[in-house]
Amino acid sequence: MDEGQSALSRAELYSRLQAVLGAGSAYRIHHLSTRPTKADALFAAPPATRPQRTKCESHFLTLSSTRNVFVYAIEVLVYTTASLTTLFVSKADSTGYLPRQESPIRPLTSTFVTWLAETRQRPGIPLVVSLFARAQDQYLFPGSVDHGAKHVLDDRQLVKWWCKTLDPVLRHHTDDAYTTRAHVIVPGFDSYETTQFFPPSYRSDPPDQRRWRHGHPLLDIAPNPSAPPRCLVPHFPDDPKARYLDELDAEIPDSQPSQSFFSPSKKGNGMWKSIRTLDQFWDTMAFRQECSSGRMVGFIWLVFTPTQPTIQSLEDSVANLTPATSFNADDLLGADQIFSSQESLGQASEANKSSPRKSSRRKKLSGPIIPRQPKIKSSSSNLSSRSDKSNSKEWPEKGRGQILLEHASYTRVHDLLLRLDFSNVDAATSSTRKWLSEVTAITMPTADWGKEITGAQSDVDRTAVVTGAATSTSDQVNDLSGMLVRKKRKNIDVGVQASAAVEAPAVNVLGASMIRKKPKVSNS
C-alpha cells in the first residue's frame, strides 16, 4: 500500500474542510475505515443465477470540539461490484454540544460525501449515493437527546435538509464525463407534493433539465433491469424497504433468505404473489409502519452515470445479459430455464472457442515420445496478477481513513460507541476519550491520531460555496433520521440587495405632453 498517496488524499480532505468551515473555528477530525470485505449482494439474484460478487468498506468520520467532546459523526458504507459503486449513508448523529452560532454540520457532510464519491469513482462505472431519511431522537450518541440542547427535526424538515445537503454533491461534477440526477420518493406523496422537499436550486434549473426528480432510478442501476421486482430493490442494512422485502419474500414457495446463493429457488420464478410491479411496491410502502401513522420516510438517490462507458463496463454489461429480454408478471413459469449461470455460460463459450470440431477419424500418432518438462508456477502468475488488479480497482489508495481496521475491530468500536453515555458534558467528554482510546489501543498503542483543522471561510462565502443557496448558520444535526435546528434567514444579504437596487432599470414615466385625453362625445 502506498502510504504517500493515502496521506495526500487525507490532506486534500482536510484542506477542503478548512475551506468550508467558519473562519477561526477549531475542530478535530477522526477518520477511520475498513478494508473491503465480502458482503451480501445488494440486489437479489434472479432464479437459478448467482448473486453479484460484492465487497463493502465502512467509513466513519467524527468531529470534535475544542473541549474534546464529540459533536458529530457520520458513517458511510461503500459497496462495489463489477458494474456499480454505491455509497450508502448509513447513520449520522450529533450530540447537541455545538455552539449555536456555529454551523459546521451541513458543509462538513457535503464535503465528506463529495470527497468520498470522487475517490471511489471508477472510469465508465456508474456511482450512486443513497440514503433514507427517517426522524428519530438519536442513532450514534446514546443519551444525547436528554440534556435538552439537541433538537430533533420532524420528518418533513429532515427530508428537506438532506436534499439541500446533497445538492452540492450532485452539482460538484461540472465536466461532461458524467450525467448527474437526483431522485426522491416519499411514500404517500405524489410528484407535485414531492417537489416541496427539493433544494432551492431546483427552481433555477431549466425546466427540461431538472437535476431533481420525483421517482426512483432502480431500473437504471439494477444489474438485471428485466428481472422480477424483488431483484430490482437494493437491500441495505436497517432499511425500511429491506424489511418489507424480507416479508414479501415469505410469499415465494420454497423461499430462502434474500441473500442466499441461489435466490430464492432454482425452481421458482422469483415473483411475489401480492406485489407484481415496482409501482405497486412503492404504493404499498406508504402503508408500512415506518411510513404511516403520521410518520414520513424519504428515499434519496444521487446517480452519476458515465456518458461514455469503458470497454470493460460494456463487457460486464454483456456478461450480465441473459436470453430473456423481459419478464411478464403473469407468465414466468419457465424462468428457471431462461436464466442460467453466468459462469456456466462463460465456460461453455470458452470451450466452444478453444475446441475445434473433432474429426470422425482419429489420426494415428507416430514417432518418438518426448516427455514435457514440469513448470513451476511463480508468484507472479496470471491469476495472482489479475486478483491484485481487481483489488486495486475496488480499493484505491485514495480515500482511505487515517486508521484502517479489520471488519471485526470496526464492529467492536462501533458497538462500543452505542453503549457510551452522552447525556451531559462530563459524560460526553469521558465517553469521547474512552472511544478514541479504544481505537488507538487496537491499532497504534502509543500514537495519537486525528487532525486539528481551523476553518478559513467566512459565513457569507461558506453559504454560497457549500450550499449554493440560502442556508441557516445555526444548523444542529442529531442523526440521519432526525437532523437539524434551522433558523430561516433571508435568501440574499444586504449587500446583494443594494447591488440589485442600483442595477435595476429605471421605470419609464410618461410626460404630460404625451398623454392624450379622449374627447367627449356630445349627446345633443
Side-chain angles (χ1 to χ4, degrees):
M1 182 177 75
D2 190 344
E3 293 293 343
Q5 291 186 13
S6 299
L8 289 175
S9 177
R10 288 194 298 271
E12 181 181 359
L13 171 63
Y14 301 147
S15 176
R16 292 189 185 187
L17 293 176
Q18 288 177 333
V20 299
L21 297 181
S25 57
Y27 303 98
R28 189 172 182 85
I29 295 291
H30 295 88
H31 177 204
L32 58 86
S33 64
T34 65
R35 302 176 185 275
T37 57
K38 184 178 179 181
D40 292 332
L42 291 180
F43 298 92
T49 63
R50 297 173 182 270
Q52 279 191 316
R53 292 183 177 180
T54 306
K55 290 190 176 183
C56 176
E57 61 175 304
S58 303
H59 288 259
F60 198 83
L61 183 78
T62 66
L63 182 71
S64 305
S65 66
T66 53
R67 295 179 294 179
N68 295 322
V69 59
F70 283 150
V71 295
Y72 175 70
I74 180 172
E75 180 186 44
V76 180
L77 308 181
V78 182
Y79 295 89
T80 55
T81 66
S83 58
L84 183 68
T85 302
T86 304
L87 274 64
F88 177 63
V89 183
S90 174
K91 295 182 179 68
D93 197 2
S94 74
T95 59
Y97 297 114
L98 191 67
R100 287 294 181 90
Q101 65 271 18
E102 299 181 15
S103 175
I105 302 301
R106 178 177 290 155
L108 182 141
T109 305
S110 301
T111 303
F112 180 62
V113 175
T114 300
W115 174 81
L116 200 56
E118 284 184 348
T119 59
R120 289 298 172 262
Q121 209 162 36
R122 294 174 290 170
I125 302 297
L127 182 140
V128 176
V129 178
S130 177
L131 64 85
F132 67 93
R134 180 186 59 193
Q136 286 188 356
D137 293 340
Q138 54 199 19
Y139 256 155
L140 291 172
F141 299 114
S144 56
V145 73
D146 297 333
H147 60 79
K150 181 176 182 177
H151 185 85
V152 180
L153 282 187
D154 60 29
D155 303 320
R156 188 178 301 270
Q157 293 171 324
L158 175 63
V159 177
K160 287 184 177 180
W161 187 89
W162 267 115
C163 289
K164 187 179 292 185
T165 301
L166 292 178
D167 190 59
V169 184
L170 181 72
R171 300 178 185 277
H172 180 76
H173 292 74
T174 57
D175 55 13
D176 297 331
Y178 288 85
T179 58
T180 58
R181 291 288 184 272
H183 304 260
V184 181
I185 279 187
V186 180
F189 286 69
D190 59 23
S191 177
Y192 177 76
E193 293 172 327
T194 305
T195 58
Q196 65 181 300
F197 302 106
F198 294 169
S201 61
Y202 164 79
R203 301 179 183 88
S204 62
D205 289 335
D208 58 339
Q209 298 179 0
R210 300 289 195 189
R211 294 288 188 92
W212 288 84
R213 300 180 179 182
H214 168 262
H216 63 81
L218 299 183
L219 291 175
D220 297 328
I221 65 177
N224 295 287
S226 58
R230 69 180 300 272
C231 306
L232 306 178
V233 183
H235 199 287
F236 293 112
D238 192 26
D239 189 352
K241 64 180 183 295
R243 288 187 285 273
Y244 191 27
L245 288 175
D246 293 338
E247 293 184 14
L248 290 173
D249 283 349
E251 301 176 358
I252 304 177
D254 300 328
S255 64
Q256 299 175 11
S258 297
Q259 305 301 332
S260 61
F261 189 74
F262 287 100
S263 175
S265 170
K266 291 183 179 181
K267 299 181 180 180
N269 58 19
M271 290 296 298
W272 298 315
K273 292 182 178 180
S274 58
I275 304 298
R276 313 295 286 183
T277 65
L278 274 181
D279 290 339
Q280 289 180 347
F281 175 83
W282 288 110
D283 289 341
T284 53
M285 271 294 297
F287 301 98
R288 297 284 299 165
Q289 181 179 0
E290 296 92 341
C291 308
S292 60
S293 302
R295 304 183 65 184
M296 186 183 70
V297 176
F299 298 90
I300 307 173
W301 298 267
L302 307 184
V303 181
F304 301 86
T305 306
T307 54
Q308 294 182 348
T310 61
I311 297 178
Q312 179 62 38
S313 63
L314 292 176
E315 291 177 351
D316 295 334
S317 300
V318 172
N320 288 331
L321 292 178
T322 61
T325 56
S326 63
F327 279 84
N328 190 308
D330 300 323
D331 186 18
L332 277 175
L333 297 180
D336 54 324
Q337 282 95 16
I338 292 175
F339 284 95
S340 58
S341 172
Q342 296 179 11
E343 290 192 359
S344 62
L345 287 175
Q347 293 172 359
S349 62
E350 289 296 329
N352 293 334
K353 291 180 181 179
S354 59
S355 302
R357 179 171 296 179
K358 295 183 178 180
S359 175
S360 59
R361 294 183 179 181
R362 177 174 294 181
K363 190 175 182 180
K364 292 184 179 181
L365 300 178
S366 60
I369 299 176
I370 303 176
R372 292 181 179 179
Q373 297 295 325
K375 294 182 179 181
I376 302 176
K377 292 184 178 181
S378 63
S379 59
S380 60
S381 63
N382 292 336
L383 180 61
S384 62
S385 299
R386 185 163 55 250
S387 176
D388 293 340
K389 184 178 180 180
S390 175
N391 289 336
S392 64
K393 287 183 179 179
E394 295 175 353
W395 195 40
E397 302 291 345
K398 296 182 63 177
R400 303 181 186 183
Q402 184 181 4
I403 285 184
L404 298 177
L405 296 179
E406 298 299 331
H407 179 70
S409 299
Y410 179 86
T411 302
R412 173 182 166 186
V413 297
H414 185 278
D415 293 344
L416 172 63
L417 185 64
L418 301 181
R419 297 194 300 267
L420 298 176
D421 181 17
F422 292 86
S423 58
N424 56 69
V425 175
D426 293 337
T429 304
S430 176
S431 296
T432 301
R433 186 184 307 110
K434 182 176 182 180
W435 189 84
L436 294 175
S437 299
E438 181 69 16
V439 177
T440 303
I442 294 175
T443 55
M444 302 176 293
T446 60
D448 183 24
W449 67 296
K451 173 65 176 178
E452 298 283 350
I453 59 173
T454 301
Q457 188 71 277
S458 65
D459 289 341
V460 175
D461 293 338
R462 177 157 43 104
T463 298
V465 172
V466 177
T467 65
T471 58
S472 168
T473 57
S474 59
D475 291 343
Q476 297 289 326
V477 175
N478 74 303
D479 65 275
L480 170 65
S481 304
M483 292 196 173
L484 293 203
V485 177
R486 272 187 15 228
K487 292 184 180 179
K488 276 193 174 182
R489 67 186 281 183
K490 295 181 180 179
N491 291 336
I492 52 177
D493 57 21
V494 178
V496 176
Q497 288 178 341
S499 175
V502 173
E503 296 179 0
V507 178
N508 293 329
V509 180
L510 296 178
S513 60
M514 299 182 64
I515 300 177
R516 295 189 304 172
K517 295 183 179 180
K518 188 175 181 180
K520 293 183 180 180
V521 179
S522 175
N523 294 329
S524 57

